[in-house]
Amino acid sequence: MAPLRYLLPSLLALLLAGCSGSSSGGDTSSNTASPTSPGGNTGTPVGNTGNGGGSQPGPTTTPYGSATNQAQYLTALAAIANAPAIDPFELTPASLSIYNDLIERNWNHLLPDVEDMLETQLQSFVGQSFSGLSIGSISNLQLDFDETPGVAVTNATPHATEVELRLPAQADWSASVRVQVAGTVNLTISGIPTQIPVAPMDIDLTISDLAIVAPVVLDLTGQVPLLSNAGTPSVNFNLSLASTSPIAGPLTSLLTQILQPVLQTAFLAAPVLLQQQINVMLPSVFPQGQSWGSGATAVQPVPQAQPLKPLADAISDEIQANHMPFDHVFPAVFDTPNQGGSVDHHHDHGDSAIWTGHYLAGEAYRYDLTGDTRALTGATRAVAGLELLLDVANNGGGLLSRCAVPMSSPDIAQMQGSSNYFVGSVGGQPWGAKGNISRDQYLGVGLGLGQAYHRIPSLRPEVGPLIERIVGYLEANDWIATQADGVTFSTTFAQAPAMILSFTGLAAMVDPGTWDALHQQYSPLADIIWLPGWLSSQDPHFQYYKFNLSHSNLVILAELETDPDRYRGYLKLMRTMRAAVGHHQNAWFDGIYAMVMPSLAATLGPQVKNELDHWALRPRRGFSIANSQDPTISQTVWMPTTASIPGVGNVVGGQSPVSYATYPVAIEKRPQTDYLWQRNPFDLDGGSDPKAQWPGIDLLLPYWFARNHGFFN
């Protein structure tokens, strides 16, 4: 059943919202600037260092950063200059068509799992009583669900866009199932209420003309989308009954009245269960226009801050010496706490692919700006490590693994008990590896390979084929990645159309003759990528790493884009992200926003520098911190809202209330973690082994990214 959680995009989270609630927050007033509209009414002209204003970009003579960035810079200016004052959000017919095609391709792959899901839901009714009848068993479930779901805009006015999720998109579904019932039913015979015992009997139910429709109305006219109205999903079907029991005939009408709501609940629960597994909360349970933690005091400069370049260089050297035992990146555990000593072993093997990609991107920015041969050495090793992660699962193919460790390594013992552990072969030698690959691992790899190809010409012969292997594999498999067996589902890209755009864009950069047509085929998705991004941003705490994935993917999209119209689509996604996290004091996100919106580089550059200076105050090894005990840190209780649908139960909630910081915790006081900028800045407490050391990519990458784009010197 688990693979179905990836079937429908994050859109389900909104379209299935038939209820509303509230969340408690701290000071929800904000004195921070609104997210910048493309060319719009809160942006700043290029060359102006202000943070507000409403004029269009003025002329500029100097592209910022390294020469590699000039094309992106000019594209950004053209996109912004050609935009209206407010570039409205929209769901174009072309974008919906491509999007629905992706859903269809995924549906065909995952349809066998639908029966398991509905079987589980129907079996949950066994033993329950409905109007005196107890369900004894449910069997022989047969489904005809070949018609695929889809999304459609049913009505659009200047201030309201009505969208429907339809299951299926066209025609109808049908199903059949056998139900055994027994108990007592109440009938009125000749005006006299009568109880009639029902011996156990089998009833064959035939469901025809089944259709589920979930409507929603959005206001897409402002700086960010707003939910105007979320209707209750409807389940409609025709039901017919057949049974060999002689008593069934007289009871047909009553049995239909009893069983029809049971089936409605079951079929409604199927998409709800899908939604429940998607990494967002229903947007209707989060107050529109509020943003957790806004209004905080700006990050102040660090007095006598240490120079960042020597620190970034030292971190790079240390990564190459201690964190890349097999040419891809791992956290290290030393034999002494706090500092010094030798590496005892490595850990957290499951995220090596994503952080190796982030590390490679950092070295690519560094080499592009400085030509430092140490950066080239690190990047070359990282490329070799990523090639290993592609080879160990499928030599010569594009299926990625999370990590790969020689069977002779003592680290292999940590991996062997994992459910996603497998043994592959590279160069005739066995390697222990981890599968169960996810989109975030692919995203990190795409970020690194893309920047390496873009900024280190000498590595293009090695990097280009790796990008093509990945995109070729995903396209051939309908953008589904499998487990190492090549069959079992692992993840789908259908709910992340922005990643499909970025990956096909990378392939088109490598070989336009082979891949540009595919990239152009998917280009209408630029008009819909804001939707899953906006939906996921509605919960500021749950799986905070989603914001890193969206921002890192925007780096690929924006830096390689040469079409101003597509670039404006990316700006809409950026606006939704900025509204959610623009006040989170995040050096990586702030740097990316300055890159996407060049007019804000002069303002955000010093802010990024301050945030990195505060990062430099953090210990390099693990530490424990209890900010919840600090009386100077304001706290607010987050109440995860419980939302329910009658007959189905809770579709959101079940979590206990959590205390978070009211405003972002000071960067130097945030709990230790792998990559600080992908962790919730409102988390209060945390602890890690003082012998454990994370690589430090959370300084290396945003520092060289900012330097490369000229945000500070």
Side-chain angles (χ1 to χ4, degrees), residues 350-416:
D351 281 335
S352 182
I354 183 175
W355 302 132
T356 303
H358 279 62
Y359 166 71
L360 175 57
E363 295 289 31
Y365 286 117
R366 178 189 181 196
Y367 181 79
D368 182 36
L369 185 67
T370 68
D372 193 321
T373 57
R374 294 173 298 173
L376 179 60
T377 299
T380 302
R381 290 181 60 191
V383 170
L386 295 179
E387 183 175 13
L388 170 66
L389 298 188
L390 288 168
D391 285 345
V392 72
N394 182 11
N395 208 316
L399 176 58
L400 183 68
S401 296
R402 291 175 174 268
C403 69
V405 174
M407 297 300 292
S408 59
S409 169
D411 288 353
I412 206 74
Q414 300 179 53
M415 299 168 52
Q416 287 176 323

Side-chain angles (χ1 to χ4, degrees), residues 26 47 73 127 141 159 166 270 291 310 367 374 400 413 420 454 479 499 559 583 629 669:
Y73 180 80
L141 177 63
H159 295 284
R166 299 171 178 172
S291 188
Y367 181 79
R374 294 173 298 173
L400 183 68
N420 60 349
H454 192 40
W479 293 91
M499 287 186 64
E559 286 196 342
H583 55 287
Q629 306 304 309
K669 292 185 176 182

Side-chain angles (χ1 to χ4, degrees), residues 16 35 118 168 237 260 360 363 390 491 522 530 539 552 605 618:
L16 293 174
L118 286 176
F237 57 88
Q260 185 151 348
L360 175 57
E363 295 289 31
L390 288 168
T491 191
Y522 287 120
W530 62 265
D539 183 345
S552 296
R618 297 170 58 81

